[in-house]
Amino acid sequence: MKKTVSAMLPFARRLALAAAFVSLLGLSACKTTPKEPEVAEEESDYVAPTDLNPIALLSTDSSIYARLPAQKHVALVQDILKEEIPNIQPGDIQLITSRLGIVWTGQGTVQDRSRTELIATGNIPSVALSGSLTKAKGWTRTKYTAESTKKALALGYENEFRYYSHPDTMFKISLMYKDLLGLAGNIEPLLDRCAVHQELEDNRCTRWISQETDDILFFITRPGQYLRNMIGDTINISTDYIYGSLKPTASGDYSMLMNMHISDTRTIPALKSLLTLAFGLTGGTVSQADGETLLVSGVPLTRKQIVGVITRDPITGKHYNVVDGKVTEENVQ
């Protein structure tokens, strides 16, 4: 059921991208000083203000949001690093993971499914960052004055930031505060929101991924395309949002729980049957939690499966199609 996994966890690949960038912080401490070191400018040495919610820095029109507490999923993060960074040493892996806190990510829009924004908390040495992302290594350091307001400036909110870019990647990285790292293809809007201490919108999504939990949380605001990847496009998909979690099991692997809100309750019987077939093959169960919600629970995922979905593209899996009420199964690329 790799296609099913890939449909529900596309945000996980972004953790690997973040970890690869954050690895520059950890690896810099393990390498010798270059013969001709560059003079690094100081980054922010201030802790993020308490009224600045990291989630509020993400755009509000993303298709998928997720929260990952790295310290509670060390083995998974380390498996990702091993796969993503060739020849990485065990000591470097431990150093990287020890510095990550909570990772929040927003991915994709209707117009741009590739868009990614990421915010990570942690113990991030500013000297290590500026000393690693140097011009000699191809990095360009840009000073950016964020759009602000008279009120924000009067309150003394910082609006001068720096970010790094590299010709080999579409992502830009910025250490806004010494405990807050941002990564995005278009990072300027994120810095603009940081400058005014953007308030967090109170909605289902933000309430879900704001929870203090050891589990990985995800919220899908536009689930139609992901469900169609699983069960085909010949049925009316009336799910307007999906939210769920990945919980580690005693074996060190994971169990997925997913709540699917149904906007047109008339489609519940057909959709439940399709999901029962799709997830039943993995040992998962599908039940009706209330008049508008289907609950998929107990879907087992190994760390190897998750890492495989994160690091391999394309994914080959099962596709379920419905024609005249008959469900057929086929392999797809």
Side-chain angles (χ1 to χ4, degrees):
M1 292 299 298
K2 291 181 180 177
K3 190 66 176 181
T4 299
V5 177
S6 66
M8 293 297 100
L9 299 178
F11 64 85
R13 181 169 181 81
R14 308 309 165 182
L15 171 64
L17 290 171
F21 275 107
V22 176
S23 70
L24 294 169
L25 313 183
L27 292 174
S28 66
C30 304
K31 294 181 178 179
T32 57
T33 303
K35 293 181 179 179
E36 297 181 1
E38 297 181 20
V39 178
E41 295 185 45
E42 289 295 323
E43 300 293 328
S44 175
D45 287 323
Y46 299 102
V47 174
T50 56
D51 69 335
L52 181 60
N53 191 313
I55 303 172
L57 303 185
L58 299 173
S59 297
T60 58
D61 62 341
S62 292
S63 299
I64 302 175
Y65 294 90
R67 177 189 187 273
L68 188 148
Q71 295 307 306
K72 300 299 181 180
H73 302 271
V74 171
L76 176 61
V77 174
Q78 291 180 345
D79 286 349
I80 293 168
L81 290 174
K82 291 175 186 176
E83 188 73 21
E84 287 289 304
I85 306 176
N87 303 317
I88 188 169
Q89 299 300 308
D92 294 330
I93 292 177
Q94 294 174 7
L95 185 59
I96 296 165
T97 53
S98 69
R99 288 178 175 174
L100 283 173
I102 306 297
V103 179
W104 287 276
T105 180
Q107 180 189 346
T109 66
V110 173
Q111 291 77 22
D112 182 8
R113 295 186 184 182
S114 67
R115 191 189 76 179
T116 295
E117 296 177 332
L118 184 145
I119 295 290
T121 62
N123 178 19
I124 305 167
S126 59
V127 174
L129 179 70
S130 57
S132 296
L133 308 182
T134 62
K135 182 184 295 185
K137 297 176 182 178
W139 291 93
T140 298
R141 189 173 189 268
T142 302
K143 294 182 179 181
Y144 178 69
T145 301
E147 293 185 9
S148 189
T149 63
K150 290 182 179 180
K151 178 181 178 181
L153 293 173
L155 290 171
Y157 294 169
E158 180 64 52
N159 75 323
E160 297 288 339
F161 300 99
R162 296 173 178 85
Y163 65 79
Y164 296 84
S165 57
H166 195 285
D168 291 341
T169 176
M170 62 175 286
F171 292 99
K172 300 173 184 175
I173 186 170
S174 176
L175 186 63
M176 295 164 284
Y177 294 94
K178 68 178 183 179
D179 57 347
L180 193 61
L181 186 78
L183 181 143
N186 183 19
I187 203 167
E188 290 84 353
L190 187 152
L191 298 177
D192 291 342
R193 290 187 285 272
C194 185
V196 298
H197 293 197
Q198 181 74 40
E199 293 185 5
L200 182 66
E201 289 189 8
D202 182 21
N203 53 46
R204 295 185 185 93
C205 177
T206 58
R207 287 194 295 270
W208 180 252
I209 64 171
S210 292
Q211 296 180 89
E212 295 290 334
T213 176
D214 293 346
D215 299 339
I216 299 172
L217 302 178
F218 61 89
F219 194 103
I220 305 176
T221 63
R222 297 179 179 88
Q225 60 183 295
Y226 303 105
L227 285 179
R228 288 183 176 91
N229 286 340
M230 289 188 293
I231 61 177
D233 58 3
T234 59
I235 186 172
N236 177 29
I237 303 299
S238 56
T239 303
D240 50 1
Y241 60 88
I242 294 174
Y243 58 99
S245 63
L246 291 171
K247 182 184 293 292
T249 62
S251 67
D253 293 319
Y254 286 83
S255 177
M256 183 174 71
L257 180 146
M258 183 172 64
N259 298 273
M260 304 175 59
H261 184 262
I262 312 301
S263 57
D264 184 354
T265 57
R266 294 172 298 178
T267 66
I268 286 180
L271 187 54
K272 182 180 178 183
S273 296
L274 293 172
L275 294 172
T276 298
L277 174 60
F279 290 106
L281 297 175
T282 70
T285 61
V286 182
S287 59
Q288 188 166 345
D290 56 43
E292 299 178 340
T293 308
L294 289 176
L295 175 65
V296 181
S297 59
V299 179
L301 300 174
T302 65
R303 291 207 315 267
K304 183 177 180 180
Q305 284 177 309
I306 296 174
V307 172
V309 170
I310 293 167
T311 58
R312 285 190 345 207
D313 187 28
I315 301 297
T316 299
K318 297 293 185 182
H319 176 87
Y320 295 91
N321 197 25
V322 183
V323 179
D324 296 329
K326 181 180 180 180
V327 178
T328 58
E329 175 184 307
E330 59 187 33
N331 289 313
V332 295
Q333 185 73 20

